[in-house]
Structures are given as structure tokens and as C-alpha cells.
Amino acid sequence: MALLLGALILGFIAARWRLLPGSLRPRVPALGSAALFLLLFALGLSLGSNQELISALPVLGLRAVLLSVGTLGGSVLLVWLVAELGGKGR
Amino acid sequence: MTWKIVGSLMAGVLLGRLLNVENGEVLGLVGDFALAALLFAVGFSLGADADLGRKIKGLPKIYLAVPFLVAAGSLIGAVALGLLGGVVPGEAALVGAGFGWYSLSAVLIAQGYDLTLGTLALLTNVFREFLAILLIPAVARRLGKAAAVAPGGATAMDVTLPIIAAHTDSQTAILAFYSGTVLSALVPVVIPFILQLLQS
């Protein structure tokens, strides 16, 4: 948590106060994308190596799909509804 | 961008199946490093937006409620679709209360309830993150920027944040970080609360 907030603030300050040389500035978004790919690759690696998880898939997979669709759908629906009803200033 | 994201993930899963990487520590370190770089890049794009302060002030007050709506919607949706799959409402709510934070919810539920439900929480919340990555662009396009904050749940502050930012605007990126932070704080509160209800 501290790491995340620290990195976010550091990035913010670096942009505000122009701490990066001009040649590096346009490359920051690419750094972000590369980091995202690396993060997901590492996540996949640890999930794929998790034998217990893989063997649980046939048994629990369908229920997990249902529940994940439910949580995602329910939260999108509720936020959308309230934003439509109350957030018309946007 | 989406296919690259899915590709990285699938490449990782396949390689993990082949290699069986045991060393979780190195992997965790790489993950932390990547996460920090990710947040740095998001912070940088926010910092480069000279109008950000005015935009935040312009956010409707109702958006303060977004993380709580995401939480309520997650629980309701989990219970509703859980019934279809024969999951008891209380257990479905418990799994849904991970809000996408798979590691913490899995541990809390495995320790406080049982191992199988902990594994279900892990799978469900991992799937939620995958689905969120795939669906955020379409949700942002069709249902609006605020709704695009919802799919990722707690991950709106880290993994799904750059995706939300790329498909909305800097104002919504701030909303996403706020929502993800509140939801992350809610996970270790709501799960023990539901556990108590289930065991009483």
C-alpha cells in the first residue's frame, strides 16, 4: 500500500516539477504498459505453477465463473444506475 | 492493447504449467517492482494534467459513494448468481466480498471458514480481474466513465487502474484510485463480518 501510494505520488511530482529530462518524458506511458504486461505475466506464472489451484479448476471453475460474473455485473449495474440517476452534471 | 494483456497473462500461465515455478519470493518481488512502475506511470500522467485540481473539484459528490456501490453490487450479484450454481447465499457473499483482491480474500476465508471456499474465493476474484481487464473498455464506451471503475473492484487502484485511465480521463482515474483504495480497506472488514454472521 505504501509502495503503491509512494510510486503514484513520485510519478505525480516528477511530472509536475518536470524532474525527468525531456527525452524520457514521452516514454513513461510505455514504461507503464511494459510494467502491466510484466505484472500479468508474473501473475500468470504463479497461477500456472499453483498445482492445487489447477486441480481445483474442474470442480470449482464453473461456480467461480458464475460468482465472478455476478460480482462484476452487480457492481457495474449499481454504479451505472446511480451515476445515471444522480450524476447528470457530467 | 487488450490482446497484449491477455497474451502476457496466458504466456505466464502456460509457462507456469510447464516450469512449475516454486520461488514465490522472486516472483513477488518482480510483481512489486512492476506494480510500482505501473503506479509511477499513472501518477506521471495525472501530474502532467495541469487542469487536474479543477477536474477533481468538478466531480459530482455522488461519486464519493462509488466504492460502497461497488461493494453492495458485488455482494448482491454474487448471491444472485451463486444461487444459480448452488452456492449458499452466505458463502457466495463471503466470496464476493473479496472485491477482486484474490490473495487476501482467499487467505482470510481459508483460515476463517474452510479451504475449499478459500480456493473458490481465489478463483472467483482472479476471474473477476481477468474479466475486468477484458470488459473495462466496453463498459467505459457503453455505460459511461463512472461505471468503468466498478468491474475491477479493489484492483481499480493498481492492476486495472491504467486500463481505466486509458479508456476514460484523468478525473475518472482519480475516482478509480479512490474507489480501489476504499474497497481494499473494506475487504479485511467485510469478510470477518460475514464470517461472524455465518458462524453465529
Side-chain angles (χ1 to χ4, degrees), chain B:
Chain B
M1 186 170 176
T2 305
W3 71 264
K4 280 188 193 163
I5 289 173
V6 177
S8 327
L9 191 70
M10 292 323 291
V13 172
L14 289 177
L15 206 66
R17 292 291 293 137
L18 287 174
L19 298 181
N20 252 324
V21 188
E22 296 279 338
N23 200 335
E25 243 167 72
V26 173
L27 220 54
L29 211 63
V30 170
D32 282 350
F33 174 76
L35 214 48
L38 197 70
L39 270 283
F40 178 85
V42 174
F44 194 85
S45 72
L46 291 177
D49 185 344
D51 241 8
L52 191 67
R54 203 175 51 78
K55 284 180 184 167
I56 293 173
K57 281 187 198 137
L59 269 174
K61 289 275 178 298
I62 188 111
Y63 286 163
L64 284 175
V66 163
F68 304 99
L69 295 170
V70 172
S74 300
L75 298 183
I76 297 167
V79 170
L81 287 211
L83 288 174
L84 283 179
V87 186
V88 187
E91 295 188 348
L94 201 54
V95 169
F99 306 141
W101 190 354
Y102 50 85
S103 51
L104 182 66
S105 60
V107 170
L108 288 176
I109 294 172
Q111 284 178 350
Y113 196 73
D114 77 22
L115 195 60
T116 310
L117 203 69
T119 310
L120 184 61
L122 180 66
L123 278 175
T124 299
N125 288 292
V126 166
F127 286 172
R128 178 177 186 161
E129 187 174 310
F130 292 0
L131 278 175
I133 290 167
L134 292 176
L135 294 178
I136 283 168
V139 171
R141 239 187 352 262
R142 287 162 191 260
L143 300 177
K145 293 168 189 162
V149 172
T155 66
M157 70 179 289
D158 44 57
V159 177
T160 55
L161 178 56
I163 302 163
I164 297 167
H167 291 92
T168 59
D169 51 22
S170 52
Q171 204 178 14
T172 312
I174 294 280
L175 176 65
F177 189 78
Y178 156 71
S179 176
T181 307
V182 173
L183 283 163
S184 299
L186 282 178
V187 174
V189 178
V190 176
I191 287 183
F193 179 72
I194 299 176
L195 273 174
Q196 281 219 322
L197 290 181
L198 274 173
Q199 282 158 353
S200 64

